[in-house]
């Protein structure tokens, strides 16, 4: 049979095991559920969506009905060599060319707020709306994919 002393020792150890088990269970559930719940399924998260942007951003930065497709190789006019020192350059919106090749500057910040203003670089260098990007770092980009240029 068991002695009174053996049963007292067993009673002293028994609360630790359930507490440890309860703590491990809480930790496991905490790691799975997270603070606000589990991750949403990919179909709800938009797995093929690169980035979610607001309607006002798309309205400002997206294509406009007045944008006319252009062929970068057919661009004519005076060339303007520009050396941007730092970002942002002051070009608010670009347009891709036909077939997604090439890039055209569509909206330029029309002023420089102070000497050395990075947002006024394009304006001060003579970049105008409709200017086609010909080369970057000496590399011809007229036939490059728009997303590669950006």
């Amino acid at each position: 049979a068991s002695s009174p002393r053996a049963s007292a020792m067993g009673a002293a150890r028994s609360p630790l095991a359930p507490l440890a088990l309860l703590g491990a269970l809480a930790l496991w559930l905490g790691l799975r559920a997270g603070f606000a719940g589990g991750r949403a399924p990919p179909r709800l998260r938009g797995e093929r969506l690169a980035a979610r942007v607001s309607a006002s951003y798309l309205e400002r930065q997206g294509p406009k009905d007045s944008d006319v497709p252009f062929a970068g190789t057919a661009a004519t006019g005076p060339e303007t060599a520009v050396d941007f020192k730092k970002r942002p350059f002051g070009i608010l919106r670009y347009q891709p060319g036909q077939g997604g090749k090439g890039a055209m500057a569509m909206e330029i910040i029309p002023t420089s707020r102070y000497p050395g203003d990075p947002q006024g670089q394009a304006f001060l260098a003579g970049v105008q709306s409709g200017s086609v990007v010909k080369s970057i770092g000496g590399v011809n980009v007229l036939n490059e994919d728009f997303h590669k240029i950006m």
Side-chain angles (χ1 to χ4, degrees), residues 136-147:
I136 298 174
V139 177
N140 186 331
V141 294
L142 288 173
N143 288 317
E144 291 291 338
D145 287 333
F146 177 75
H147 298 290

Side-chain angles (χ1 to χ4, degrees), residues 80-84 89-91 93-94 104-110 120-133:
T80 303
V82 180
D83 184 22
F84 293 118
F89 309 136
I91 300 174
R93 185 172 71 88
Y94 291 89
M104 179 186 290
M106 296 304 293
E107 292 182 32
I108 313 299
I109 293 179
Q121 292 178 92
F123 169 74
L124 292 175
V127 177
Q128 299 176 358
S129 179
S131 295
V132 175
V133 179

Side-chain angles (χ1 to χ4, degrees), residues 34-137:
F35 178 72
R39 289 179 58 105
R43 63 180 166 69
L44 296 177
R45 294 180 58 231
E47 74 261 1
R48 287 177 265 165
L49 189 62
R52 294 178 189 249
V53 294
S54 68
S56 62
Y57 177 85
L58 288 176
E59 186 177 314
R60 274 190 329 270
Q61 305 296 85
K64 307 281 190 236
D65 291 338
S66 59
D67 289 351
V68 178
F70 71 95
T73 55
T76 60
E79 288 187 26
T80 303
V82 180
D83 184 22
F84 293 118
K85 301 294 182 194
K86 57 185 170 179
R87 294 177 186 222
F89 309 136
I91 300 174
L92 297 174
R93 185 172 71 88
Y94 291 89
Q95 172 192 337
Q98 292 175 343
K101 303 288 185 184
M104 179 186 290
M106 296 304 293
E107 292 182 32
I108 313 299
I109 293 179
T111 184
S112 181
R113 300 170 296 175
Y114 54 86
D117 178 17
Q119 292 189 9
Q121 292 178 92
F123 169 74
L124 292 175
V127 177
Q128 299 176 358
S129 179
S131 295
V132 175
V133 179
K134 181 179 178 182
S135 65
I136 298 174

